[in-house]
Amino acid sequence: MVNVALLGFGTVGSGVAEVLTRNGDLIDSRVDDLVRLKYIKRAREVFDGPYQDLFVKDFSIIEQDPQVDIVVETIGGTGAALDYTTRALKAGKSVVTANKELVATHGYELLQLAKEHGVSYLFEASVGGGIPILRPLTSCLAANDLTQITGILNGTTNYILTRMIQAGLTFEQALKEAQDKGYAEKDPTADVDGHDACRKICILAALAFGHHVYPDQVPTEGIRHVTLGDAAYADSKGYKIKLLGRAIRQPEGKVCAFVAPHLVADTAPLAGVEDVFNAIAVTGNAIGDVMFYGRGAGKLPTASAVVADVIDIAKDLKRDRHNGWASGSPDLVVSDDGLTSKWYVRAQGTMDQARLACGEIQPLARSGAPTSEVAFLTAPMPRPLVLDKLRGMEVASLFRVLD
Amino acid sequence: MVNVALLGFGTVGSGVAEVLTRNGDLIDSRVDDLVRLKYIKRAREVFDGPYQDLFVKDFSIIEQDPQVDIVVETIGGTGAALDYTTRALKAGKSVVTANKELVATHGYELLQLAKEHGVSYLFEASVGGGIPILRPLTSCLAANDLTQITGILNGTTNYILTRMIQAGLTFEQALKEAQDKGYAEKDPTADVDGHDACRKICILAALAFGHHVYPDQVPTEGIRHVTLGDAAYADSKGYKIKLLGRAIRQPEGKVCAFVAPHLVADTAPLAGVEDVFNAIAVTGNAIGDVMFYGRGAGKLPTASAVVADVIDIAKDLKRDRHNGWASGSPDLVVSDDGLTSKWYVRAQGTMDQARLACGEIQPLARSGAPTSEVAFLTAPMPRPLVLDKLRGMEVASLFRVLD
């Protein structure tokens, strides 16, 4: 018998309970043991419904029950979640979570703690929702020297951009629609300003390159300033605008990581990733390019990944899963200034001014553009150079073009 | 020290040696032990090059060396490969392979043999080349009741179809081009007649649904009879023609599995999979749809998957990997006759005859079509019904439309 305690009973938590119950027989047969949900820790006073006998308010009941093997943390954030995770690991219980914020900010110390206590800390669901990505990255691609990860890591922003491109909605209209559909929170900051994607690229970079990458080391730009005009200019030459999280291995063990809107050519697989779907492309020196695609959020997809981690641990409670990474350092992450790419520019001015400033350019047009506006693609160059060239122009949008 | 013996030194075999050598330090650090290539069994008399000290001709040297932990079989086929695999497992050595034919025809017995001898038989590279699919299917998606797998499983046929659609080449021209580029064998039967895809869908179905599915149980149709006219009719309504391997769970533990050309809507992620790329879409009751995409063949991508299996075993030589399935049975696999879908029909006749035969249809047009030819999409119906309705017409092409 393997006993599981669930912390939190919101969207993800109730999804985990549902998957453990609905697919219980199948899970037991895959583990070759009985996997039982023993406790659900929940703050609300009113306990009813099918799990009413499992609810507890006090975490120390779970902490002190030697029968609890696995704690599933679905509280979110870095407050109580960090406290309970730390205590659970110290009490010799493995912990599974979908909490990207906690892993991105405290992953290194929690993985160390798990190792010290001979237990596991797994977080497949923290990136890409239900999409299998972290385990494939560390097991199936283990023979590769990984060089690059590029991901559409946030379903909310991808939905908004898709609706802007396909239905001609403004950013504000598309955000409102996403909120009405439950795809975006009332306070959409974490999504639309790129923080959620930033946490995810930190976790991917740490797994791929072996050192903790902290969110505050990663330059992060969201999509609030992407306009319908930008989408139309991009479309005129066969590009879609996508918010990408990128991590690129640099010489001497350093990492270039950043989050920013990009122009992605329609012929690239990432361009076809629409609505709330996520996709993560990984490049390795043997595999070439491989891509993982699916629903990056949602109750059951996320629960699917959480329960997969529970099954993995339950199959062998004490196995060292080698899923850690080394500590980070202030000079580990380098800015993307050195990265050469074409640039998309929308500015006030004329095409002659643009040519004078940037030399060889590819002009872009859209119907209804004001005569004072100019948009174009530059030749490949690093950011400091394009900024220098554009010094004399009033720039409204400046996005990289994905190679 | 973990010692590896390699059987065969063709494209995949030499790729495995290259990855083990080139990424050796990285592999050792991931395994936390030294992984050493000790023998390469090769039939050719002339032994030279960087691995000349490792070459042996006699398999019994490997079989009888207790220091050999892992045997990598890259011989292919079901002759010597079956003999050596059986003997290696009986000698207590784990075996890794990319040999889809061997796994599809003898997987059940070899997995049983591995279990009996406390070793592993892994074959991630047998499906999708380097794409991580088998391990994610059994680990990351373990919390799901899986219901359906749909895959573009053969790079050669996907290249041919892509070139027919994009460059207007005939099947024969595109095949010739694929052969010139090294994507197709001189005898292309296994690829173009669907046998390769059939073996792969057998392996996927066995892993997803738990029972061995034999290739001769799976109705298999290739792409030799797909014409440029078919591609043009499909394109006129936003469809691409793709060769799909499909496995669909049926009531009472049965499986519907088949390989056939399909019309796939441009909006579906599978439609965007071009050239030699493969993609496998999996549906589960929690995850919804998830897709894996990458190079389905090639020396280094395939070697990447083989070496990932080597690393997995080397990390823990004696761990039970729970990657087996139960035996097959003659009545396990049901035909796709019961599966309802729209159908694409190209036939001799007029649109009036088509309407008279099939009722509500969606007419298709293409430039340059002979006046005696008619093409259309039917309403959804099972195969026996559409065959019955079309009895009076001379049908040239009949393909399912993917839902």
Side-chain angles (χ1 to χ4, degrees), chain A residues 208-269:
Chain A
F209 306 128
H211 287 271
H212 197 112
V213 173
Y214 290 93
D216 61 8
Q217 296 180 302
V218 175
T220 298
E221 187 185 330
I223 63 160
R224 282 189 202 267
H225 54 303
V226 177
T227 67
L228 278 177
D230 292 325
Y233 283 124
D235 182 61
S236 73
K237 291 287 178 192
Y239 291 96
K240 298 255 185 303
I241 299 181
K242 294 288 182 190
L243 181 68
L244 300 181
R246 299 178 66 185
I248 304 160
R249 208 191 45 178
Q250 301 293 306
E252 296 166 23
K254 293 191 190 294
V255 177
C256 165
F258 62 106
V259 174
H262 282 69
L263 266 65
V264 180
D266 281 339
T267 50

Side-chain angles (χ1 to χ4, degrees), chain B residues 220-254:
Chain B
T220 298
E221 187 185 331
I223 63 159
R224 281 189 203 269
H225 53 303
V226 177
T227 66
L228 279 178
D230 293 324
Y233 284 124
D235 182 61
S236 74
K237 291 286 179 193
Y239 291 96
K240 298 257 183 304
I241 299 182
K242 294 288 181 189
L243 182 67
L244 300 182
R246 299 178 65 186
I248 305 160
R249 209 191 46 179
Q250 301 294 305
E252 297 165 25
K254 292 191 191 297

Side-chain angles (χ1 to χ4, degrees), chain A residues 271-326:
Chain A
V273 177
E274 296 180 345
D275 295 328
V276 294
F277 282 84
N278 282 197
I280 299 128
V282 180
T283 309
N285 72 340
I287 185 89
D289 294 317
V290 63
M291 190 177 86
F292 303 84
Y293 168 95
R295 289 187 182 276
K299 178 176 173 167
L300 291 183
T302 306
S304 160
V306 169
V307 177
D309 279 346
V310 169
I311 292 173
D312 185 20
I313 294 172
K315 276 181 176 176
D316 190 348
L317 289 170
K318 293 298 167 195
R319 182 160 69 85
D320 183 353
R321 282 170 176 80
H322 301 271
N323 68 326
W325 51 68

Side-chain angles (χ1 to χ4, degrees), chain A residues 108-132:
Chain A
Y108 170 67
E109 62 199 73
L110 293 171
L111 283 159
Q112 285 290 107
L113 201 59
K115 209 178 170 75
E116 278 165 32
H117 290 83
V119 291
S120 294
Y121 183 49
L122 297 186
F123 37 85
E124 177 66 64
S126 66
V127 180
I131 306 170

Side-chain angles (χ1 to χ4, degrees), chain A residues 286, chain B residues 10-16 18-19 297-304:
Chain B
T11 305
V12 176
S14 60
V16 169
E18 183 177 333
V19 171
K299 178 175 173 168
L300 292 183
T302 307
S304 160

Side-chain angles (χ1 to χ4, degrees), chain B residues 238-242 244 262-266 268 270-271 400-402:
Chain B
Y239 291 96
K240 298 257 183 304
I241 299 182
K242 294 288 181 189
L244 300 182
H262 281 69
L263 268 64
V264 180
D266 281 339
L270 284 172
R400 282 187 190 274
V401 179
L402 185 71

Side-chain angles (χ1 to χ4, degrees), chain A residues 155-190:
Chain A
T156 308
T157 45
N158 203 47
Y159 181 84
I160 292 171
L161 290 171
T162 303
R163 294 296 291 162
M164 289 174 69
I165 294 164
Q166 289 184 352
L169 303 183
T170 63
F171 169 79
E172 289 74 18
Q173 290 167 332
L175 170 60
K176 173 78 173 43
E177 190 182 275
Q179 285 170 323
D180 291 345
K181 289 195 164 200
Y183 296 155
E185 316 248 348
K186 218 164 150 189
D187 175 2
T189 309

